[in-house]
């Protein structure tokens, strides 16, 4: 569980890591969906629900991923800042590998509002 505080707002992310290239994140803000992620990074966001309901949605998604993809979470004691930095670099590399990525910003901004409050599909 990661909690972000700033500008009078509190955002919560539940993160489960399956490997160095696979994870599940359940966020509390649609901003988590603004930019695309590599295909093995599963991200969903639910707004207007409490932390307990968000955690329940995360657990539902975990069960789906673990059953469908036959994977298990890994538990590593690594620095959260380093983990986030590595994930952001992988996301940036993925984005810049997309054709015309620099022209897609408006589409991504609109898209995030269409996919918030929806469960992941595996």
């Amino acid at each position: 569980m990661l909690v972000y505080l700033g500008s009078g707002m509190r955002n919560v992310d539940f993160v489960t890591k399956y490997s160095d290239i696979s994870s599940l994140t359940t966020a509390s803000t649609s901003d988590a969906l603004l930019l695309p992620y590599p295909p093995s990074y599963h991200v969903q966001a639910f707004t207007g629900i409490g932390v307990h309901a968000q955690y329940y949605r995360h657990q539902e998604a975990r069960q789906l991923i673990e059953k469908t993809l036959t994977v298990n979470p890994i538990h590593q004691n690594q620095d959260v800042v380093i983990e986030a930095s590595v994930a952001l670099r992988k996301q940036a590399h993925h984005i810049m590998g997309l054709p015309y990525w620099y022209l897609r910003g408006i589409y991504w901004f609109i898209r995030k509002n269409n996919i918030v409050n929806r469960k992941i599909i595996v």
Side-chain angles (χ1 to χ4, degrees):
M1 178 178 176
L2 303 170
V3 180
Y4 305 90
L5 302 171
S7 301
M9 307 254 323
R10 181 192 77 189
N11 295 315
V12 177
D13 288 356
F14 290 99
V15 180
T16 300
K17 186 175 178 180
Y18 295 104
S19 71
D20 286 337
I21 60 167
S22 179
S23 66
L24 166 66
T25 300
T26 304
S28 64
T29 176
S30 64
D31 292 341
L33 303 171
L34 178 59
L35 298 172
Y37 292 86
S40 60
Y41 283 44
H42 304 282
V43 181
Q44 58 184 3
F46 298 95
T47 59
I49 65 174
V51 174
H52 294 288
Q54 181 186 353
Y55 181 70
Y56 178 77
R57 295 284 173 96
H58 184 76
Q59 294 295 23
E60 283 182 324
R62 274 191 61 186
Q63 289 176 0
L64 175 66
I65 288 170
E66 292 167 15
K67 181 179 179 183
T68 305
L69 303 178
T70 317
V71 294
N72 292 310
I74 60 173
H75 304 284
Q76 297 176 324
N77 292 328
Q78 293 185 346
D79 187 302
V80 173
V81 175
I82 292 171
E83 287 284 316
S85 177
V86 168
L88 286 172
R89 272 189 251 121
K90 288 179 183 176
Q91 183 182 20
H93 187 265
H94 170 70
I95 290 168
M96 290 187 290
L98 298 171
Y100 304 107
W101 65 270
Y102 47 87
L103 299 175
R104 296 182 179 195
I106 293 172
Y107 166 74
W108 290 332
F109 185 78
I110 294 168
R111 180 188 66 113
K112 78 173 179 140
N113 294 318
N114 291 328
I115 60 175
V116 68
N117 296 321
R118 291 189 184 177
K119 296 178 182 181
I120 61 161
I121 298 172
V122 180

